[in-house]
Amino acid sequence: MPSLLMSAVTAQTALPAGPTRLDPIELFLDADIVVQAVIVGLVLASIWTWMIIVSFSLRSDMLNSKSRAYEADFWDTNDREAALSKRQRAEVPSARVAGAGLDEWRRSTKSGTVDRDAARQRISAAMEGQVAHEADELAGRLNFLATTGSVAPFVGLFGTVWGIMNSFFQIGAQQSASLAVVAPGIAEALFATGIGLFAAIPAVIAYNRFSNTVNHYEAQLQRFADKVHAGLSRELDKA
């Protein structure tokens, strides 16, 4: 009897221990090729999303800082032309907005006769168009965040559905519905949904946050354009 008890204990001890924690790499390696393709695509989308988040944050902070510094210098000098160097036009959004207005002002006043109302409209249109262009340039990559935020969960769900279907085929092939048969496939399938959410959640949060940043940036440029337009309108009155 003691020998039988010892044999039972030894056999139970020799049983392989089940996994005690989630292993994403193991789940990926054991997954079906379609689920693996879905996971790889979602991981690449997540990496690109974070690259956009970091680059947009750095670029928006830099442009806001340069624009505020330029605007302060622009109002401190009496020579508006001197405040519009080629380098500033290339680097500073506010300089390009002011340059669009001044270029139109020069074209409108180079002839002897000046139509003040028409000139004001053209100057305003030129600067508003430049403001819109600057906002579009800053927001250029945000469409990818919106697409990732809306599509990634469904792509992950596709991988989940495929993995669960594969688990059902395994049930039919092995003629067993035990957890040992279906659990690995279901875990791999649900992992695809988790990766989809991992890619989508930061993208949605970043898109909402950055959209507000772009709106604020555009409003800041528009206020500067309005002030420049008012100053050029006073110059037109003297012409």
Side-chain angles (χ1 to χ4, degrees), residues 164-236:
I164 292 176
M165 290 171 57
N166 191 48
S167 296
F168 281 117
F169 281 116
Q170 292 295 326
I171 291 174
Q174 300 186 22
Q175 297 182 354
S176 173
S178 65
L179 286 177
V181 174
V182 300
I186 292 177
E188 297 157 8
L190 293 176
F191 182 59
T193 297
I195 295 297
L197 294 176
F198 178 79
I201 292 173
V204 171
I205 295 174
Y207 177 78
N208 292 333
R209 174 71 180 274
F210 292 160
S211 294
N212 183 63
T213 299
V214 171
N215 292 336
H216 178 76
Y217 173 77
E218 185 175 9
Q220 176 185 339
L221 290 179
Q222 188 59 55
R223 287 192 295 268
F224 175 67
D226 292 340
K227 292 179 182 179
V228 174
H229 182 266
L232 295 177
S233 294
R234 287 191 293 270
E235 295 294 329
L236 286 173

Side-chain angles (χ1 to χ4, degrees), residues 60-225:
S60 62
D61 290 343
M62 179 190 66
L63 292 178
N64 280 320
S65 177
K66 285 185 175 182
S67 293
R68 285 193 296 268
Y70 174 80
E71 290 172 20
D73 293 340
F74 185 84
W75 299 120
D76 286 341
T77 181
N78 293 324
D79 189 357
R80 302 288 185 256
E81 298 293 337
L84 283 173
S85 65
K86 290 183 178 180
R87 179 179 178 182
Q88 287 173 325
R89 286 200 182 200
E91 297 180 354
V92 185
S94 294
R96 291 191 287 268
V97 171
L102 288 171
D103 289 344
E104 184 59 43
W105 181 81
R106 282 195 296 267
R107 286 192 291 267
S108 298
T109 57
K110 67 180 180 180
S111 60
T113 304
V114 178
D115 186 343
R116 294 182 176 84
D117 291 336
R120 290 188 180 96
Q121 292 177 5
R122 289 193 295 269
I123 292 171
S124 177
M127 287 193 292
E128 286 179 359
Q130 188 64 40
V131 168
H133 175 74
E134 297 297 335
D136 290 341
E137 283 287 317
L138 182 61
R141 293 184 177 180
L142 296 188
N143 287 334
F144 183 83
L145 296 181
T147 301
T148 301
S150 59
V151 173
F154 296 100
V155 175
L157 184 60
F158 168 75
T160 297
V161 171
W162 186 274
I164 292 176
M165 290 171 57
N166 191 48
S167 296
F168 281 117
F169 281 116
Q170 292 295 326
I171 291 174
Q174 300 186 22
Q175 297 182 354
S176 173
S178 65
L179 286 177
V181 174
V182 300
I186 292 177
E188 297 157 8
L190 293 176
F191 182 59
T193 297
I195 295 297
L197 294 176
F198 178 79
I201 292 173
V204 171
I205 295 174
Y207 177 78
N208 292 333
R209 174 71 180 274
F210 292 160
S211 294
N212 183 63
T213 299
V214 171
N215 292 336
H216 178 76
Y217 173 77
E218 185 175 9
Q220 176 185 339
L221 290 179
Q222 188 59 55
R223 287 192 295 268
F224 175 67

